[in-house]
Amino acid sequence: MIAEQTSTAYAPFGLVTRAAELDLETHTVHTAIGELRVQTGRRDRTDETATLMLHGAAGSWTTFTPLLQAVELRGDSTLDNLVIPDIPGWGASPFPTDAAHFTVDHVTRAIAAALRGLGYERWRVVGHSFGATLALHLAAIEPRATVGLTLVSPTTFGVFDAVRHPSAALTTLPAFVGMRQAMQMLDWHERAGRAVVRGLGRVGFMRGLASPLFRHPGFIDGSVYDAIAEEVRPHAFTLASDAAGMYPAQSLWPRVTCPVTAIKGRHDVFLARDDLARLAAVVPQLKARTIDDTGHFAHVERPFAVLDVLAPAASSR
C-alpha cells in the first residue's frame, strides 16, 4: 500500500548523497583522460550485464538516487549491476587535465574502459539529458556490448541546433539558450562563477533559478536544488554544449543496433517539439514515450513511471 501511494506522488524522494545508504560502493577508476569516480552496487553474478547510468550537465551520480529509492521501495530487481559514474568535470570526477580530451568521444571511451575495468563486457544504459548523448555515442561505437538504451529527456537535435544558431533558438528553446549564455558569462572566471551559484543556493534563490526544469518546482525536495547549485560547473557546461554543437549525430547514430526508448516529460523546456521525431528518424529501433505532468527530470519527478519503462528492458536481458 505504501508503494502504491508513493508511486502516484510527484517527486516523492529527495537525493541521497551518501553512497552507503543505498548499499553502493565508491571506486576510483583510472582512464586515459583521468580519474573517474564511480558508484557500484547490486551485483548479480548470474548476469554480467551492467546497468550504466549517465547523468546530465549540472549533475552527478546522486541525480539517480530517487530512481534507486523507488527500486528499493518496490523491492524488485529491475536495476542490477549498477555502475554510476560522475562524468568528468562533475561530481568527484575531475575535469580532464587536457581540455582537448573533453569531447563526447573521449569521455564515452573512458566510461567504456571503466566498465571493462570493473569486469563488464555488456551493458544497458540509462542516460539523462547530456548523458543521453553519451549513451547514444556509446551504443554507436560499441554496438556488440550495448544491449539497450533508455534516454531520459535526451537533449539532442534541438540543443545541437541551439548551440549552432542561438538566435534562432530563442523561439524554440529559450530556457536552454538563456542557461547557456549564463554559463558562458560565469565561465569567464570559473571559481568565482561557481561561488556565485553556491551563494545563490544558500540564500534560497536556486529554487527560482532552476524552476523551469521542473513541472512543479515548489514540490521538489530542497536536496535537488542544493545538488544543482553544487554541480553547476560553468566551464564544463560550456564545453559540453560546444561539444554537442559539433557532434555528427546524423552520421553516427544510425549505427545504433540495440533497442532504444526515449522518454520525454510533456513540459520539458529543454526538448524541442520535434526532438523525439527527429531522433526516431535517425536511430533504428527507437520508441518514444511521453510522461504527463513532468519536466526535464523525469527520474526525479516521476521515478516510478521511469521504472515502469525500465522494467521490460530489464526482463528481456
Side-chain angles (χ1 to χ4, degrees), residues 91-238:
S93 293
F95 191 84
T97 304
D98 185 350
H101 291 161
F102 192 73
T103 67
V104 170
D105 189 62
H106 278 97
V107 170
T108 302
R109 291 183 187 277
I111 292 169
L115 284 161
R116 292 194 166 100
L118 292 166
Y120 294 106
E121 292 295 334
R122 287 161 46 93
W123 46 77
R124 61 187 178 116
V125 192
V126 181
H128 171 239
S129 196
F130 178 62
T133 295
L134 298 179
L136 284 161
H137 187 68
L138 181 60
I141 64 173
E142 293 274 7
R144 292 186 179 180
T146 308
V147 301
L149 303 182
T150 301
L151 312 177
V152 182
S153 295
T155 48
T156 55
F157 292 107
V159 163
F160 299 169
D161 291 345
V163 173
R164 296 164 185 154
H165 309 289
S167 297
L170 285 171
T171 58
T172 56
L173 290 179
F176 173 78
V177 173
M179 179 172 286
R180 185 164 188 263
Q181 289 178 339
M183 292 299 103
Q184 288 176 317
M185 293 177 61
L186 293 171
D187 187 28
W188 290 346
H189 197 301
E190 167 81 0
R191 183 173 297 179
R194 288 189 62 192
V196 167
V197 175
R198 287 174 175 171
L200 291 173
R202 283 194 294 270
V203 298
F205 276 95
M206 187 52 64
R207 185 176 291 270
L209 292 174
S211 62
L213 298 172
F214 306 101
R215 174 58 173 160
H216 301 290
F219 289 92
I220 299 295
D221 190 84
S223 61
V224 177
Y225 293 111
D226 291 342
I228 292 174
E230 174 63 28
E231 294 303 334
V232 167
R233 313 286 176 94
H235 189 56
F237 186 96
T238 299

Side-chain angles (χ1 to χ4, degrees), residues 13-26 37-39 59-66 68-69 84 86 91-92 221-231:
F13 307 110
L15 301 193
V16 175
T17 58
R18 294 182 65 251
E21 292 183 21
L22 292 171
D23 294 325
L24 299 176
E25 296 182 355
T26 304
R37 189 66 62 88
V38 182
Q39 311 297 330
S60 73
W61 73 272
T62 64
T63 192
F64 289 110
T65 58
L68 301 184
Q69 291 174 82
I84 317 176
D86 285 340
D221 190 84
S223 61
V224 177
Y225 293 111
D226 291 342
I228 292 174
E230 174 63 28
E231 294 303 334

Side-chain angles (χ1 to χ4, degrees), residues 5-77:
Q5 291 174 344
T6 307
S7 66
T8 62
Y10 177 83
F13 307 110
L15 301 193
V16 175
T17 58
R18 294 182 65 251
E21 292 183 21
L22 292 171
D23 294 325
L24 299 176
E25 296 182 355
T26 304
H27 304 264
T28 299
V29 181
H30 297 276
T31 75
I33 66 172
E35 292 183 349
L36 202 65
R37 189 66 62 88
V38 182
Q39 311 297 330
T40 67
R42 298 172 63 96
R43 190 72 183 251
D44 178 5
R45 295 291 179 179
T46 66
D47 182 356
E48 290 300 313
T49 302
T51 299
L52 172 66
M53 310 182 87
L54 299 173
H55 65 78
S60 73
W61 73 272
T62 64
T63 192
F64 289 110
T65 58
L67 197 57
L68 301 184
Q69 291 174 82
V71 170
E72 287 198 348
L73 189 57
R74 278 195 176 172
D76 63 26
S77 57

